Amino acid sequence: MGPVLDLVKDMELALGQSETDLSPWFREDFIWDGNAGCGRKTGLREFEQGWYLPFRDAFGDRRFDTTIWLEDGDWAACVGTCHATHAGDFMGIPATGRPLEVRYIDFWQIKEGRIAYNKVNVDLAGVAAQLGWDVFDGKGWDRLDPPVTRLWRGKHGQGAAANPLEVVQSMEAALQRSDVDVSEFFHEDFIWDANYGCGLKHGLAEFESGWYEPFRAHFGNRDFVSPHFMQTGDWAACFGACFATLERDFMGIKATGQKIRIPYIDFWRIEGTKIAENIVRVDFPSIVEQLGGDVFGGKGWGSEMPVDLSAKPAA
């Protein structure tokens, strides 16, 4: 663990302790770049007012359980779950005191000893589901998952024999080409673990029938653009967006060939020369938003301030 990861872990501890002054960890002009429903905050003040304070008010007794950490150059990344209680209003739902799991994925870029950019996906749709609200109204692709309890794959090998980035970048190129057979890149029993609305696929066959085939059918002219990749040990990760056209009706919205942007964040664990585990967040609410809808019904935390889309991460 190096200084970049030390800083990020110390920051996470500060968030868990409800520190009021976050300036030791964040630059004043840092960018918090969240998924639909969470929003994009430019500067520390916007982050505090538009995310940190509402999050603290809605979720009490917070405990951050971060299970995967990556560090590569001036970047760090993680996957985890915030265990909390529903202590305040959340998207119009009054406090219930229920225990909740708030799943997150983060990338941080560090400049001059503080966080300059934070790419993040927080599964707010999953939180709403735990409180009885399906924001996708039964139209999420997790409905394609088999309705059975299945065991987690677990680790079968001794880590990656191949370079993880080479494996995942070759796989992404195959998706770009619309290769039908992707068994070259995935173990037959690999796990595809996504956010609410996308599902959990156990094995290559479930992934193909419950995600890859519907994705190809709905979204044509696909162009995957991943601006940042990183790797640590047998893990690789990236964030980016797939630019495509809508070829089939999506969540009740009629397809007319609209151009859309599909944001994603991926973590992959490699065993040998193939992917054994893929933790992924695909921003379905963002697609609906681009098509004129709002799965959160105006209650998301992303519209409380004007968004400065011209702001860029630190060079």
Side-chain angles (χ1 to χ4, degrees):
M1 184 170 66
V4 168
L5 207 50
D6 285 341
L7 173 72
V8 169
K9 288 187 174 183
D10 191 50
M11 176 274 299
E12 183 179 88
L13 182 62
L15 297 185
Q17 294 173 342
S18 298
E19 289 283 351
T20 55
D21 180 11
L22 300 178
S23 60
W25 299 278
F26 295 94
R27 290 166 53 122
E28 288 294 330
D29 60 348
F30 101 104
I31 296 171
W32 192 86
D33 191 2
N35 49 306
C38 297
R40 179 180 169 97
K41 325 298 181 185
T42 303
L44 182 55
R45 186 186 67 85
E46 282 192 16
F47 168 72
E48 290 174 338
Q49 294 183 358
W51 179 260
Y52 183 50
L53 295 178
F55 191 89
R56 285 170 50 191
D57 290 343
F59 307 120
D61 306 314
R62 295 174 304 282
R63 178 175 62 83
F64 292 92
D65 180 16
T66 303
T67 54
I68 301 168
W69 292 100
L70 277 65
E71 182 180 24
D72 192 352
D74 60 356
W75 286 85
C78 82
V79 176
T81 302
C82 177
H83 300 272
T85 55
H86 183 205
D89 181 89
F90 173 73
M91 295 194 181
I93 304 173
T96 63
R98 292 182 185 177
L100 296 172
E101 293 185 354
V102 187
R103 299 201 298 167
Y104 54 83
I105 288 185
D106 283 90
F107 280 74
W108 299 273
Q109 185 184 31
I110 310 304
K111 293 294 181 183
E112 299 176 347
R114 290 189 293 174
I115 296 167
Y117 178 70
N118 183 187
K119 179 67 176 179
V120 58
N121 183 292
V122 182
D123 192 1
L124 293 187
V127 176
Q130 294 170 63
L131 295 172
W133 177 24
D134 177 9
V135 301
F136 300 117
D137 195 26
K139 301 182 180 71
W141 288 5
D142 41 13
R143 73 184 189 280
L144 303 175
D145 295 349
V148 295
T149 301
R150 291 157 291 168
L151 297 176
W152 191 253
R153 178 183 192 275
K155 290 190 176 182
H156 291 183
Q158 300 298 317
N163 182 298
L165 276 184
E166 291 180 359
V167 174
V168 300
Q169 288 175 334
S170 296
M171 177 273 299
E172 187 174 89
L175 299 186
Q176 182 91 19
R177 296 190 303 266
S178 296
D179 288 4
V180 175
D181 180 7
V182 291
S183 59
E184 174 185 352
F185 309 102
F186 297 95
H187 286 284
E188 287 293 329
D189 59 348
F190 96 106
I191 300 295
W192 192 83
D193 183 9
N195 46 307
Y196 186 79
C198 296
L200 175 66
K201 322 300 179 185
H202 285 243
L204 182 57
E206 282 189 19
F207 168 73
E208 289 177 336
S209 63
W211 180 260
Y212 186 44
E213 291 173 5
F215 192 88
R216 288 164 52 202
H218 280 77
F219 307 119
N221 305 303
R222 295 173 300 281
D223 183 19
F224 293 89
V225 179
S226 301
H228 187 73
F229 283 91
M230 59 188 294
Q231 66 178 12
T232 301
D234 55 358
W235 284 92
C238 84
F239 62 83
C242 175
F243 296 84
T245 54
L246 185 64
E247 305 296 333
R248 287 190 181 180
D249 294 357
F250 180 74
M251 295 197 179
I253 300 173
K254 186 172 180 58
T256 61
Q258 305 97 314
K259 293 182 179 180
I260 55 173
R261 176 180 178 272
I262 309 168
Y264 54 78
I265 301 180
D266 281 272
F267 277 62
W268 301 271
R269 182 171 60 81
I270 310 303
E271 284 183 9
T273 60
K274 294 186 178 184
I275 296 166
E277 188 176 345
N278 183 189
I279 301 171
V280 58
R281 302 292 180 263
V282 182
D283 196 351
F284 270 9
S286 174
I287 300 174
V288 174
E289 187 176 88
Q290 294 169 64
L291 297 172
D294 180 359
V295 300
F296 298 112
K299 301 181 178 70
W301 290 354
S303 57
E304 69 290 328
M305 293 181 178
V307 176
D308 181 5
L309 294 176
S310 66
K312 302 296 182 184

